[in-house]
Amino acid sequence: MDPNGADFEEDPEKALLLEAEDLERDIGMCVGHVSVSKKHAPSERRVFINLQTKEKQQYCIELSLQGYRVLGEEFDKTDLDDRPYNETIYSLLDSLSPLYRNSFGNTLAKKLAKLTCEDQATSSDAEGKSYDGAAAEAKK
C-alpha cells in the first residue's frame, strides 16, 4: 500500500504506471529524456517508456512485472520483442549507456558530498552549543 492508501496488489496497472512516472525523478539527471509513451496506452501488464540516452540514442522500453527491456531503438517503436529483461532500469541503462554510468556516479558523489557537508554543519552547530554551554557554566 502506498502513503495515499492505494493498494498496488489490487491495481497492478497503477503500480507499473507509477513506477514508470517515477523514472523521471530517479534517472532524469542521468539521461537525455524519459517519459511514459503517449502512443501506447499502459495496461495492467506493461507500460511503454520513451528514453533517450546522453549519447542521443532513443529507445522504447517496456516495463512489466518481468522487468525492463528494450522493445525498439526509436521512441514508440516496438519491433524488438526478443531482447532480455533487466530487473532494474539501472542495470538496463548500465548496459546501454556509458555516459549514464559516468553521470550516475557523478550525481551520487555530489549527493554524498552534500550530505557530508550537512552532517559536518550539524556537528559544528552541536559542538558550538555545547562549547557555549560549558563556557557559560565556567563563568558561574
Side-chain angles (χ1 to χ4, degrees):
M1 191 172 292
D2 84 343
N4 299 321
D7 188 348
F8 296 134
E9 291 177 9
E10 292 181 21
D11 195 353
E13 178 180 345
K14 186 171 185 162
L16 286 176
L17 185 56
L18 286 174
E19 183 173 341
E21 290 171 345
D22 282 347
L23 288 178
E24 187 172 341
R25 178 180 43 84
D26 291 346
I27 64 169
M29 298 293 291
C30 302
V31 297
H33 172 85
V34 61
S35 66
V36 174
S37 173
K38 292 181 182 8
K39 180 178 178 183
H40 300 290
S43 72
E44 69 180 37
R45 294 181 8 180
R46 60 189 189 173
V47 176
F48 297 91
I49 300 159
N50 289 325
L51 183 136
Q52 181 176 315
T53 65
K54 291 213 177 231
E55 292 89 353
K56 308 278 191 241
Q57 175 62 49
Q58 293 183 351
Y59 295 99
C60 183
I61 308 292
E62 173 193 25
L63 166 59
S64 69
L65 295 176
Q66 288 80 23
Y68 294 85
R69 71 175 172 163
V70 173
L71 284 184
E73 293 184 344
E74 294 176 23
F75 288 169
D76 297 316
K77 195 167 185 179
T78 58
D79 61 340
L80 302 173
D81 200 30
D82 61 343
R83 299 286 178 95
Y85 284 99
N86 289 264
E87 191 171 318
T88 66
I89 190 66
Y90 313 110
S91 63
L92 177 62
L93 281 170
D94 196 48
S95 69
L96 297 175
S97 172
L99 290 178
Y100 162 78
R101 284 191 298 271
N102 293 340
S103 180
F104 184 81
N106 291 339
T107 300
L108 185 58
K110 286 177 187 175
K111 287 181 180 180
L112 288 173
K114 182 180 177 186
L115 287 173
T116 301
C117 288
E118 289 172 0
D119 187 45
Q120 288 173 348
T122 303
S123 296
S124 294
D125 287 347
E127 287 173 12
K129 287 178 185 172
S130 62
Y131 177 76
D132 292 342
E137 204 49 45
K139 287 182 181 180
K140 288 183 180 179

